[in-house]
């Protein structure tokens, strides 16, 4: 799998270099299952003939034209969207051969350290328990190694307590983080067409449909591990086709004020790439997590 991931990253990076501008690759572990995701994002000219670009042998620059066709064949799951004059977003996922069903799940995560930082003080995860899907975004206070330690301590607690109520999960994290820097934590639980949000600190949640932004929620003031108020839960509708999204304050919250319809209609993997690429504050750790309810056939 490492060799395949290297090929995917190389082909997607080459495509950006030849055809686009202001592009980036984001290489992340999948939030569900054992695998890796290579995300490509750019603000280039877009692809007016996307289907032709995906065919082997098609090229506009005199190369062999194997790039996107090779990516589509090698990846366990490949998703791409483009808009002329806006840019292109692509997601190539790889999973082990014994886990084919984990690649196309409607959950995605980007988690990046601040520029010049070796450690990321943010973390995120998704857990499926029964018919529910629970997601967490954690922002350890500050940056660097100690912030990362706090975030990953909270993440370990989340993984063991994910089936509990959202306030109970936060209470368990609070106990875990008492001797750390502490963290801001946002939790989402999706079940059917309903969602619950419970958060302490500046972890924001939004719900996006193909038509617009329907909810904007911010956590209660406080720090998990230090001064945490009694957590409260907010419930909201999540109709079919709606995506719930959590992000840390390394993402400019103003992105929800007037997002383009093209962005609103992106599937979760490409949505995280678009929000991260266009609205990230590079001086801060930044995390974006997008989820839809688990498929009923899972």
């Amino acid at each position: 799998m490492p060799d395949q991931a290297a090929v995917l990253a190389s082909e997607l990076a080459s495509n950006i270099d030849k055809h686009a501008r202001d592009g980036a690759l984001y290489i992340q572990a999948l939030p569900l299952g054992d695998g890796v995701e290579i995300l490509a994002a750019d603000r280039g000219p877009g692809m007016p003939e996307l289907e032709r670009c995906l065919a082997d042998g098609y090229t506009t620059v005199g190369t062999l034209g194997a790039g996107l066709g090779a990516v589509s064949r090698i990846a366990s799951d490949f998703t791409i969207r483009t808009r002329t004059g806006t840019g292109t977003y692509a997601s190539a996922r790889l999973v082990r051969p014994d886990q084919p069903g984990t690649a196309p799940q409607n959950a995605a995560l980007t988690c990046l350290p601040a520029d010049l930082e070796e450690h990321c003080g943010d973390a995120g995860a998704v857990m499926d328990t029964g018919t529910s899907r629970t997601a967490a975004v954690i922002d350890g206070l500050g940056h660097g190694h100690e912030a990362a330690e706090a975030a990953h301590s909270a993440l370990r607690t989340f993984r063991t307590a994910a089936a509990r109520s959202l306030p109970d999960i936060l209470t368990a994290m609070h106990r875990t983080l008492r001797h750390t820097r502490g963290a801001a934590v946002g939790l989402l639980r999706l079940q059917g067409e309903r969602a619950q949000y419970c958060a302490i600190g500046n972890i924001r949640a939004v719900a996006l449909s193909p038509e617009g932004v329907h909810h904007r929620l911010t956590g209660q003031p406080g720090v998990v591990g230090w001064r945490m108020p009694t957590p409260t839960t907010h419930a909201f509708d999540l109709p079919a086709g709606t995506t719930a999204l959590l992000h840390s304050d390394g993402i400019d919250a103003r992105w929800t004020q007037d997002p383009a319809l093209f962005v609103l209609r992106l599937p979760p993997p490409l949505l995280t790439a678009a929000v991260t690429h266009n609205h990230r504050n590079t001086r801060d750790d930044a995390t974006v997590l997008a989820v839809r309810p688990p498929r009923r056939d899972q």
Side-chain angles (χ1 to χ4, degrees), residues 148-194:
E149 282 190 334
H152 286 281
S153 293
L155 190 62
R156 287 191 292 271
T157 299
F158 170 72
R159 293 189 186 281
T160 60
R164 296 160 63 177
S165 72
L166 300 188
D168 282 353
I169 297 172
L170 279 173
T171 299
M173 289 182 176
H174 183 60
R175 289 194 294 267
T176 298
L177 297 184
R178 280 177 178 166
H179 300 292
T180 71
R181 284 188 173 187
V185 179
L187 302 173
L188 271 176
R189 175 159 292 157
L190 282 57
Q191 188 168 28
E193 294 189 354
R194 294 285 289 171

Side-chain angles (χ1 to χ4, degrees), residues 80-151:
I80 185 168
R81 299 287 188 276
T82 187
R83 183 184 183 192
T84 303
T86 297
T88 300
Y89 303 105
S91 161
R93 292 182 164 188
L94 273 176
V95 299
R96 296 200 323 251
D98 61 338
Q99 293 188 337
T102 63
Q105 295 193 33
N106 282 321
L109 172 70
T110 58
C111 187
L112 304 174
D115 280 3
L116 305 180
E117 287 285 354
E118 180 180 353
H119 301 280
C120 183
D122 283 5
V126 180
M127 296 286 290
D128 285 348
T129 54
T131 60
S132 297
R133 171 164 288 173
T134 306
V137 165
I138 303 155
D139 181 355
L141 265 61
H143 306 105
H145 179 67
E146 291 185 8
E149 282 190 334

Side-chain angles (χ1 to χ4, degrees), residues 16 69 103 148 229 272:
I16 290 173
T272 63

